Structures are given as structure tokens and as C-alpha cells.
Amino acid sequence: MGDMTKSSAGDPPGGDRLDREAARASMLARHRLIEAIIRNNEAQLRNDSARGGAEIELHCALRDSRLPGASEDAEAEVERLTARFKALQDEHDRLVAEREWLNASLLEFDAGPQGGGTHYRSGNA
């Protein structure tokens, strides 16, 4: 079987070859969307783990800062960990929004002409 991207002597002229090229381009675009969803899933898992650890550290720091004789360093540690947890939460929110955008893009793509027509979403993921 020949390479679908190159025309051969047996290929009908024009339309069929263009249809195959369009189908291949559509398949590759869908594949890129799925890869982006996989990368987003991986990032969400890493973020979930980091947020869980940061939350535990923050609770320990809060406990330690309330102990009698706690130093100013303990309060500074609470502030540092609070900022870290907030940054991780902001990243989580961004990843969730990106995932929703990617899911919507894939649904639009699959609902397009012939289950994957050539169309593009605008905006940033």
C-alpha cells in the first residue's frame, strides 16, 4: 500500500487525493488535541500532589506558629507556605480551565463536518 501523502500513478486525479490529504490532516489535528489533553492530565496529577503536600506543610506550620514561644520565623514560614499554596491553587484553576477548553475543542472537532472537519478554535489554552 502506498504512502497517503504522495500521489502515485494509480491515484485518481484531484478530489480523492485531496480528500485523503484532508482526512490525514484532520486525523493529525485530532491527535494533537488528544496529546494536549494527556499533557494536561499529567500536569494536573503533578499539581494535585504538590498541592496536597503544600497543604500538609501549611497546616504543620500553622500549628507550629501557634505554639507558645513560636518565633517570628514560624510566622514567616506560614506566609511563605500560604503563598506557595495559593500559587499551586492558581495553577490548578488554570489547568482546569485549559482542560475544559481542550475537551470542548475535541467535542467541536468530533462534531464537525464528517466527524472531524477542518476548523480551528480561537483563543489560548
Side-chain angles (χ1 to χ4, degrees):
M1 197 163 221
D3 183 355
M4 292 180 65
T5 60
K6 296 182 181 174
S7 180
S8 68
D11 279 347
D16 287 344
R17 185 177 57 81
L18 292 176
D19 287 344
R20 281 194 313 275
E21 288 174 5
R24 184 176 189 281
S26 177
M27 175 193 67
L28 291 173
R30 186 176 191 281
H31 182 75
R32 284 189 295 274
L33 269 174
I34 291 169
E35 285 178 332
I37 289 170
I38 291 168
R39 284 190 302 275
N40 179 276
N41 284 343
E42 292 169 346
Q44 281 188 13
L45 289 171
R46 284 190 303 273
N47 180 271
D48 288 347
S49 178
R51 276 186 307 122
E55 186 174 18
I56 290 168
E57 288 182 59
L58 178 57
H59 285 289
C60 290
L62 283 168
R63 179 200 62 212
D64 293 348
S65 71
R66 293 180 182 134
L67 293 174
S71 68
E72 290 180 18
D73 291 343
E75 190 59 38
E77 183 69 359
V78 168
E79 289 177 20
R80 183 187 71 78
L81 290 169
T82 300
R84 178 174 172 234
F85 185 77
K86 182 182 179 332
L88 288 166
Q89 185 61 46
D90 290 347
E91 177 66 4
H92 168 76
D93 294 344
R94 186 195 68 76
L95 288 167
V96 168
E98 178 181 278
R99 175 60 188 254
E100 290 171 359
W101 185 89
L102 288 166
N103 285 340
S105 296
L106 185 60
L107 287 172
E108 278 185 24
F109 191 92
D110 287 345
Q114 300 166 1
T118 305
H119 59 286
Y120 304 93
R121 286 184 58 85
S122 60
N124 296 321

